[in-house]
Amino acid sequence: NAGVMQNPRHLVRRRGQEARLRCSPMKGHSHVYWYRQLPEEGLKFMVYLQKENIIDESGMPKERFSAEFPKEGPSILRIQQVVRGDSAAYFCASSLSTGLQETQYFGPGTRLLVL
Amino acid sequence: KNEVEQSPQNLTAQEGEFITINCSYSVGISALHWLQQHPGGGIVSLFMLSSGKKKHGRLIATINIQEKHSSLHITASHPRDSAVYICAVAGNQFYFGTGTSLTVIP
């Protein structure tokens, strides 16, 4: 049973470009969470999604960031017009059922570097 | 003020020592998680607990809901335990501590 997969593992973008980060949850998991870890800082919650629904996006920046989890395929975190401050590690986690009290399984992360 | 505070921030121990990492939180929660982040960056969920105590091998986690405090203990520590240990609480969303960086010296 493959774990949570994220790709790419490393992504380099120039300022103003778009970054697309993909997350495939564990088999059978329909709940996905995205977190950001800025350099020298702790993890911060960004968004919680179920299939085709955004449940909680209170941690998402208001502009340039969006997330989706379609019926088929991976969850996508999209960052438009990236800036240097977006450089961070972005982690995805999945859980089997609803609620923040469920065990979450983390992917290896995508390290985004904005030049 | 952070919703989750961990102590210590950094910890160095000799192999075999008993280690305690503390976590205090200020929000109402439904569960508390302990995570382990290895130097390569990968994150593993160690425990999820809402009351009492859990044990996996040499790791023990306890929580006191009334005092809003949790501890992670490592018995007979080993160099492979060297990692960052992160406390996260599930309130209306996830709040993370800044982590405790543990180094176990052979």
Side-chain angles (χ1 to χ4, degrees):
Chain A
N1 184 15
V4 177
M5 294 191 289
Q6 289 186 250
N7 67 81
R9 295 289 302 275
H10 299 273
L11 182 61
V12 180
R13 284 288 178 266
R14 296 195 180 278
R15 282 179 297 170
Q17 291 185 320
E18 178 179 288
R20 280 185 178 238
L21 287 63
R22 285 175 288 276
C23 169
S24 297
M26 284 184 71
K27 188 176 180 181
H29 287 194
S30 58
H31 301 260
V32 166
Y33 313 80
W34 284 95
Y35 303 98
R36 177 165 66 173
Q37 187 173 41
L38 292 166
E40 307 303 322
E41 291 188 22
L43 287 159
K44 294 275 192 250
F45 167 80
M46 297 183 76
V47 62
Y48 165 33
L49 310 105
Q50 292 180 29
K51 285 280 186 183
E52 301 184 277
N53 286 306
I54 296 174
I55 306 303
D56 182 352
E57 57 181 347
S58 58
M60 288 274 273
K62 294 287 186 287
E63 297 176 348
R64 302 188 296 107
F65 284 72
S66 62
E68 62 176 8
F69 189 14
K71 188 177 179 182
E72 301 291 337
S75 175
I76 306 284
L77 179 67
R78 182 181 177 209
I79 312 172
Q80 295 178 287
Q81 298 175 317
V82 295
V83 300
R84 287 215 175 107
D86 297 332
S87 296
Y90 292 83
F91 289 93
C92 159
S94 72
S95 65
L96 182 61
S97 58
T98 191
L100 297 175
Q101 59 270 42
E102 291 296 321
T103 297
Q104 297 188 10
Y105 297 85
F106 285 79
T110 293
R111 274 111 186 121
L112 172 65
L113 176 62
V114 180
L115 300 176
Chain B
K1 185 182 183 301
N2 291 334
E3 291 84 359
V4 182
E5 299 281 354
Q6 283 186 239
S7 64
Q9 283 191 318
N10 297 284
L11 181 56
T12 300
Q14 288 291 137
E15 184 173 356
E17 283 186 10
F18 180 84
I19 287 161
T20 296
I21 298 170
N22 295 299
C23 174
S24 296
Y25 53 92
S26 58
V27 295
I29 69 167
S30 54
L32 182 144
H33 300 248
W34 281 101
L35 310 173
Q36 180 190 54
Q37 186 169 26
H38 279 283
I43 297 173
V44 175
S45 179
L46 298 174
F47 292 103
M48 190 273 297
L49 63 166
S50 53
S51 65
K53 176 180 173 179
K54 285 190 177 180
K55 184 176 187 294
H56 289 154
R58 295 180 296 105
L59 300 179
I60 303 166
T62 63
I63 187 169
N64 185 318
I65 296 292
Q66 285 72 32
E67 294 185 5
K68 294 190 173 180
H69 181 268
S70 175
S71 293
L72 176 69
H73 305 287
I74 305 175
T75 61
S77 59
H78 190 275
R80 64 173 174 265
D81 297 328
S82 298
V84 175
Y85 291 83
I86 302 167
C87 172
V89 300
N92 58 338
Q93 61 166 266
F94 250 111
Y95 300 97
F96 293 87
T98 52
T100 294
S101 179
L102 171 65
T103 302
V104 180
I105 300 169

